[in-house]
Amino acid sequence: MTSSTEFAPDDIETVEDALALLNAALDTPIAMASHIEDEEYTLIGIDDHLDTGLDVGAEFETSETFCHCVYEGPKRAEMIPDIGADERVAGLPAHENLGLEAYIGVPLYRDDEFYGTLVVSDTAPREFTDEEIQHAKTVAKLIQSVL
């Protein structure tokens, strides 16, 4: 790795394979992994069945993403079962432009420092089960192994 967001092709493939497994396990249409630094959110992996046009390397202000709930909070897994009804995130671009309605965000760590987030979302409000949240945490650990 040459920088905090540049990875070898095999590492990107590992991240995206892990995201695909998570989407399959949770029956969700989109899962992403990010690096967050200085309020900037950069995609480091994506498994996208919504044809959003998002690619690895896309950048956003963290405050415009659901992940600000993980980044600005106590850095723990966060579930938002009904994005439209949650004042912290309703109206954000990912909600309005992508139609995402449910969210799990799990912090990613590199060398014991906060690095970014793993995200899995659905297009309908949904209360994820404890088992599904545990699946997301397990995939986060896998992704952390290549950071």
Side-chain angles (χ1 to χ4, degrees):
M1 252 180 280
T2 58
S3 79
S4 59
T5 57
E6 292 180 19
F7 299 93
D10 287 348
D11 291 340
I12 293 171
E13 185 176 352
T14 298
V15 169
E16 292 188 336
D17 286 349
L19 296 171
L21 286 171
L22 184 59
N23 270 338
L26 274 59
D27 192 27
T28 48
I30 190 165
M32 299 174 274
S34 72
H35 174 63
I36 298 173
E37 186 173 12
D38 299 327
E39 303 291 328
E40 188 170 287
Y41 176 103
T42 304
L43 280 180
I44 62 169
I46 186 167
D47 184 60
D48 177 6
H49 300 273
L50 296 174
D51 297 321
T52 63
L54 295 173
D55 289 312
V56 170
E59 296 180 347
F60 309 93
E61 291 295 317
T62 302
S63 62
E64 296 178 358
T65 71
F66 307 140
C67 292
H68 78 272
C69 295
V70 174
Y71 174 70
E72 295 170 356
K75 311 277 191 294
R76 65 174 183 241
E78 180 83 28
M79 178 182 55
I80 304 172
D82 187 350
I83 290 167
D86 190 312
E87 64 186 32
R88 299 172 300 164
V89 294
L92 290 177
H95 177 234
E96 293 191 352
N97 299 338
L98 303 179
L100 302 178
E101 296 292 343
Y103 165 91
I104 298 174
V106 179
L108 297 173
Y109 291 90
R110 179 177 173 188
D111 300 326
D112 297 324
E113 296 288 326
F114 179 79
Y115 181 85
T117 55
L118 170 136
V119 174
V120 62
S121 289
D122 209 338
T123 55
R126 171 179 177 177
E127 186 84 28
F128 290 97
T129 66
D130 290 342
E131 182 179 4
E132 290 171 324
I133 294 168
Q134 188 57 50
H135 283 312
K137 290 177 179 179
T138 300
V139 169
K141 288 179 185 176
L142 175 61
I143 290 171
Q144 287 174 160
S145 73
V146 298
L147 296 179

